[in-house]
Amino acid sequence: MTWFAPVRSVAARRLTMRAFVVLFSFIASMVGAANAAADGSGTVTGTVTDQLGGAVTGATVALMRDGQTVAEGRTDGQGHFSMATADAGRYALQVDAAGFVVAHVDPFFVATGAKVPVNVTLSIGVAQVVVVTATAEAQPASQVAASVTVLDRRLLSDLAKPDVAEALRLVPGVNVVQVGGRGTAASLFVRGGTSAFNKVLIDGVPANDIGGVFDFGDVDTTGVERIEVLRNANSVLYGNDALTGVVALTTQRGRTRVPEATYSIDGGTLGTQRHDLSVGGATNRVDYFAAFSHFDTDNDVANNAYQRRTFASRLGFAAGSSTDISAVVRAGSSHIGLPNATSFYGVADDSTKKADAQMFSLEADTRVSPRLKTSLRYAVLHSDYHLTNPAPTGQYSDPFGFGGNYLGDQVTITGANGYSVSGRAILDYGGVYPQPFDATTTRHVVSGQANYRLRPAFNVAAGARIEHEYGVSQSSYDDPTAPPKTTRNNAGAFVEAQVGRRSLALTAGLAVDHNETYGVAVTPRLSGTAYLRKPSATSGLGETKLMFNAGTGIKAPTLSQELSSLFTVVKGTVAGVDPIGPERNTGFDVGVEQGVWRGRVRARASYFHNNFSDLIEYVSASALTKLAISQQAADASGFGAYVNSSSYRAQGVEVSADASVSHVNFMASYTFLDAKVTKSLSGGVLAPAVNPAFPNIQIGQYAPLVGARPFRRPINSGSLMARFVQGPFQVVLAGYFSGKQDDSTFLSDEFFGSSMLLPNHNLDAGFQKVDLSAAYTIHPRAKWYLSVENLLNQDYQAGAGFPALPATLRTGITVTVGGR
């Protein structure tokens, strides 16, 4: 067994080799510098503030090394503290003050003669997390207006699930749709946006395919320190793809002086087994971490066995007295059988998919002065997948006598809306087999950013990035001598300002992006917070925080959309046709957050409104003239082309709460979503499908009709998580709840007719997925754990035609060696 799948393409091999050469050169230089470091004293200084940025006087600050307190002091009247270190090395801080939650600062390196600033924010009640995706500079959640949820390593461990997608179900305002068992495509819909409207960053590496598509079904929790989900448009900081939000995954860092190794092994129903091994530590200037996991399952239907391998590593180095350098390598490979929508065909297809990805990032963060911080990053992504349909599946049918297709079994399909159809749908089309499809994405990004604090309450940040994208996609129908491909050289720059005084804070930003496909796009953003009531450690009714966000987002076309756009198809033959443009979102949200019971409980409510415009859809040649496109261009397009011609809006209310009381932690959320298509040609507005069995109902076969809801966005959805800990025992109950949603069967009968279509409205039934996990600490270095998913054994389909897994069970043990 290799640690990750052999990389097939020459470009990928070169990329991987280049990343590892840089990484191992980096290791050698770090070790040499660490061994050359001389002992000597340094100084740790900083300011302790409350949630609103006010100074905390008399807070106890403990300077710690290897878990032991080596110095202790108190903050002065301005919240300042200063402590000398005995010699160079790694230190941590613990800060305590009456009425506040004890704060722990992760280990940091203090060099000889260095003066290291460490500012600490204390909170009342539920501990505040630091948010890194909402603004250019990391901020405590109490000072951020954006809707952000952070899932930390402890929560991921408590859930005992190997898939990041399962943890994302707990985030308010999102809908996770996985079409089948583990490893099948998992899409994330945020506040009504499509699954391609989210910027996905893995250790700062933009991980989306060209055009925003990202499959969460292949992402393992191995080595993941935290997951942060921003639910606002933020193309100011992130450029393309951040229409509805940002999902950022961060790999763990080593922290213990004595190396710590952890091994987990578990197994369960459906032939499931998992191995997870990690090792990490820190010494002087160097910290290191590496993890590997192997996951196997048969899933629940034929031809759906799944295997995944993941490798993650991070190396850090404290250079000089004020620079932190971090290198991350993450690689993964998977193989899965694709049975297709077995509920619609009654038989499993025999297609398979192999996928692998490699990511590398190198980042240097420097505190140039107490006022100025800079960050430089180089990031590389290479991903490719190979899908193969080796032979046609189903019964051959040739009703027209010019070459037939292959039908599934006779089935009866009943929707949650009460409508039902019976018949046989086309499962595989005729042609030459095997039928392969290959796709590759390679991306290089160089970015830099500077944050300058002009005054204690005024911060300015500016940054720029240069990006090179290369993509190839090729099916068996393409000319192998000229595979469809695209190369894009993109660039962007932004400026952002933050101003705040105690109970009022404002952030404004503006970005200019240039994409080689569509040209220039400008995106502004504005957000603010206001506290009507301040946090209180004595009052039953705590802080009242008002929040406001407004901004725009952009998304570049996918590779297939660009290559089949009207401009590309008719280029050179018809003048006056503009290049395909970016998809856009103009959105805002307003909300309130209320602290209760001395901060132990926090409740939030938000209203959000997104207006998605210039969306890209495939329009037939006969319909192109409806868009003021010349008849000459429509004729030159052949059958049709992709254009910016669709739009829809999504608005709703998001309510959530979390609490920490004694031995119980609790999270819950509810989202009401009102989404409606306002303009579309591909949805069937010109010629909607009509099933003869329902002659008075128009149906969108491949896309929703104008006036209807977008597919797979339920009106009502919610989540909950309750965690109970008593001594060595803990139990976690997690649930996700989805109401009915619009969808399509997407089927054609053997005559290419619509007799297998059902009305879109409320086609998919609502469902409840309730999971249970438990753990018992047998020994300080050994823990038994259990995970039961779909505890109620509910028979449901998150996407029409794709049955979800029944109740499944995994159990295993985790053993830790070393560490401190």
Side-chain angles (χ1 to χ4, degrees):
M1 179 192 304
T2 57
W3 275 23
F4 45 87
V7 183
R8 289 183 292 276
S9 69
V10 174
R13 287 206 274 303
R14 289 175 178 171
L15 173 63
T16 305
M17 182 62 68
R18 190 181 305 133
F20 277 101
V21 167
V22 172
L23 180 59
F24 287 121
S25 299
F26 182 46
I27 296 172
S29 65
M30 286 193 299
V31 173
N35 291 336
D39 290 342
S41 62
T43 306
V44 179
T45 65
T47 303
V48 178
T49 59
D50 61 20
Q51 292 163 253
L52 302 186
V56 177
T57 303
T60 300
V61 182
L63 184 66
M64 309 185 75
R65 190 172 188 182
D66 296 332
Q68 303 297 317
T69 300
V70 296
E72 191 172 273
R74 289 185 176 274
T75 56
D76 61 19
Q78 286 73 47
H80 301 319
F81 67 90
S82 179
M83 287 181 288
T85 61
D87 50 43
R90 289 188 172 269
Y91 294 86
L93 288 180
Q94 178 176 294
V95 183
D96 189 14
F100 293 92
V101 177
V102 177
H104 299 273
V105 178
D106 288 338
F108 51 89
F109 183 78
V110 182
T112 300
K115 187 176 182 180
V116 180
V118 182
N119 297 321
V120 182
T121 300
L122 298 181
S123 60
I124 296 170
V126 179
Q128 291 281 329
V129 296
V130 174
V131 173
V132 299
T133 56
T135 55
E137 184 175 18
Q139 297 285 337
S142 57
Q143 299 172 24
V144 171
S147 299
V148 183
T149 297
V150 175
L151 308 174
D152 60 21
R153 184 64 199 171
R154 180 182 178 185
L155 177 59
L156 297 178
S157 177
D158 291 345
L159 292 174
K161 299 175 182 178
D163 304 306
V164 163
E166 290 300 319
L168 291 173
R169 295 183 189 275
L170 296 177
V171 178
V174 309
N175 183 35
V176 177
V177 177
Q178 187 162 27
V179 286
R182 292 201 186 277
T184 56
S187 303
L188 183 71
F189 301 89
V190 177
R191 288 183 167 180
T194 75
S195 58
F197 285 1
N198 312 303
K199 187 80 168 186
V200 180
L201 301 170
I202 300 180
D203 296 300
V205 181
N208 304 74
D209 288 342
I210 294 176
V213 176
F214 186 83
D215 179 11
F216 283 95
D218 260 348
V219 185
D220 202 289
T221 57
T222 295
V224 176
E225 176 70 19
R226 60 184 263 155
I227 306 169
E228 186 167 319
V229 183
L230 168 71
R231 303 186 299 284
N232 301 118
N234 199 351
S235 285
V236 167
L237 296 182
Y238 302 104
N240 284 309
D241 307 332
L243 264 75
T244 52
V246 177
V247 181
L249 280 70
T250 305
T251 298
Q252 292 177 248
R253 300 189 77 148
R255 290 190 173 88
T256 60
R257 182 179 58 83
V258 177
E260 180 179 83
T262 301
Y263 175 64
S264 299
I265 180 171
D266 62 56
T269 56
L270 304 180
T272 302
Q273 59 174 313
R274 185 173 190 257
H275 303 266
D276 190 307
L277 173 66
S278 66
V279 61
T283 175
N284 291 326
R285 293 177 178 268
V286 180
D287 64 81
Y288 53 91
F289 174 83
F292 169 72
S293 69
H294 181 99
F295 178 82
D296 274 295
T297 184
D298 293 334
N299 281 319
D300 190 46
V301 298
N303 189 41
N304 200 203
Y306 175 60
Q307 180 185 90
R308 175 175 68 211
R309 288 172 283 186
T310 301
F311 171 73
S313 66
R314 178 188 288 271
L315 282 165
F317 177 52
S321 60
S322 58
T323 298
D324 180 74
I325 301 176
S326 179
V328 180
V329 172
R330 193 172 186 95
S333 67
S334 66
H335 180 276
I336 189 171
L338 302 176
N340 211 319
T342 54
S343 294
F344 290 166
Y345 300 111
V347 61
D349 200 2
D350 58 354
S351 298
T352 60
K353 185 185 78 169
K354 295 180 180 179
D356 65 79
Q358 303 86 39
M359 303 174 198
F360 171 74
S361 69
L362 181 64
E363 182 175 9
D365 297 314
T366 301
R367 183 174 289 276
V368 181
S369 71
R371 291 176 179 265
L372 177 63
K373 293 188 296 184
T374 62
S375 177
L376 295 173
R377 172 181 280 129
Y378 170 60
V380 186
L381 163 73
H382 178 85
S383 65
D384 64 330
Y385 72 88
H386 177 75
L387 189 152
T388 302
N389 189 349
T393 302
Q395 181 178 338
Y396 183 74
S397 173
D398 187 9
F400 301 109
F402 57 78
N405 302 296
Y406 299 85
L407 307 179
D409 293 346
Q410 180 79 17
V411 296
T412 296
I413 304 171
T414 302
N417 50 23
Y419 293 97
S420 180
V421 295
S422 296
R424 307 179 73 173
I426 298 176
L427 173 55
D428 279 336
Y429 290 96
V432 178
Y433 285 81
Q435 293 182 349
F437 178 82
D438 295 277
T440 297
T441 296
T442 301
R443 178 182 293 115
H444 298 258
V445 184
V446 177
S447 61
Q449 178 180 311
N451 296 68
Y452 188 76
R453 188 163 293 279
L454 294 170
R455 296 181 180 180
F458 186 34
N459 184 71
V460 176
R465 62 184 170 273
I466 300 173
E467 178 181 66
H468 174 77
E469 295 180 314
Y470 174 78
V472 179
S473 65
Q474 185 175 17
S475 72
S476 59
Y477 300 104
D478 297 322
D479 179 2
T481 64
K485 61 184 178 180
T486 188
T487 299
R488 299 177 185 172
N489 294 305
N490 312 317
F494 78 90
V495 61
E496 181 184 86
Q498 294 174 277
V499 60
R501 293 294 295 179
R502 299 288 291 171
S503 59
L504 185 65
L506 190 68
T507 301
L510 183 72
V512 179
D513 281 271
H514 179 271
N515 186 280
E516 197 162 330
T517 299
Y518 59 73
V520 176
V522 179
T523 54
R525 186 168 184 264
L526 177 68
S527 65
T529 61
Y531 278 83
L532 302 184
R533 287 177 55 90
K534 297 180 180 180
S536 172
T538 58
S539 172
L541 186 64
E543 75 272 20
T544 302
K545 173 185 174 184
L546 301 182
M547 300 163 287
F548 168 77
N549 295 276
T552 57
I554 52 174
K555 188 184 82 66
T558 66
L559 176 59
S560 60
Q561 288 170 343
E562 178 187 350
L563 296 174
S564 299
S565 69
L566 181 63
F567 177 78
T568 303
V569 170
V570 306
K571 189 175 182 180
T573 61
V574 179
V577 178
D578 295 328
I580 196 168
E583 298 182 303
R584 301 178 183 273
N585 173 31
T586 302
F588 72 90
D589 66 84
V590 293
V592 60
E593 180 176 317
Q594 180 64 55
V596 183
W597 196 8
R598 301 180 181 89
R600 294 186 180 94
V601 179
R602 285 200 176 93
R604 307 168 191 84
S606 299
Y607 167 78
F608 59 87
H609 188 284
N610 292 312
N611 185 34
F612 303 107
S613 59
D614 294 331
L615 303 184
I616 299 170
E617 60 180 352
Y618 188 86
V619 177
S620 65
S622 61
L624 285 172
T625 55
K626 301 292 181 179
L627 301 172
I629 292 172
S630 68
Q631 186 66 55
Q632 181 188 11
D635 293 340
S637 72
F639 293 103
Y642 283 103
V643 291
N644 301 93
S645 61
S646 178
S647 64
Y648 73 95
R649 60 120 176 104
Q651 62 181 346
V653 176
E654 184 182 288
V655 180
S656 63
D658 57 78
S660 181
V661 182
S662 185
H663 302 288
V664 179
N665 296 94
F666 180 80
M667 296 169 54
S669 71
Y670 165 75
T671 302
F672 171 81
L673 176 65
D674 174 26
K676 183 171 71 173
V677 177
T678 53
K679 186 169 65 173
S680 174
L681 294 178
S682 67
V685 64
L686 297 180
V690 176
N691 187 332
F694 323 112
N696 298 319
I697 301 176
Q698 295 181 338
I699 299 172
Q701 183 171 11
Y702 301 110
L705 304 177
V706 172
R709 297 202 307 266
F711 291 163
R712 297 179 180 176
R713 266 76 120 206
I715 294 178
N716 302 290
S717 62
S719 65
L720 67 83
M721 193 275 298
R723 176 179 180 269
F724 173 79
V725 179
Q726 181 65 56
F729 178 75
Q730 74 173 39
V731 61
V732 178
L733 187 70
Y736 176 76
F737 312 95
S738 174
K740 294 180 180 180
Q741 56 189 21
D742 286 14
D743 207 342
S744 174
T745 63
F746 301 99
L747 300 176
S748 295
D749 60 29
E750 64 178 316
F751 303 102
F752 294 97
S754 54
S755 66
M756 295 298 289
L757 294 178
L758 287 173
N760 305 122
H761 183 61
N762 286 343
L763 174 61
D764 297 341
F767 65 89
Q768 303 82 43
K769 182 179 186 292
V770 179
D771 305 327
L772 175 72
S773 60
Y776 185 81
T777 303
I778 305 168
H779 180 273
R781 296 186 176 276
K783 181 180 73 172
W784 164 84
Y785 60 91
L786 169 77
S787 175
V788 181
E789 295 194 45
N790 195 6
L791 182 66
L792 305 179
N793 198 29
Q794 188 173 70
D795 182 11
Y796 71 93
Q797 299 177 9
F802 297 88
L805 293 177
T808 60
L809 180 147
R810 293 170 36 249
T811 185
I813 190 169
T814 298
V815 178
T816 302
V817 179
R820 191 180 186 88

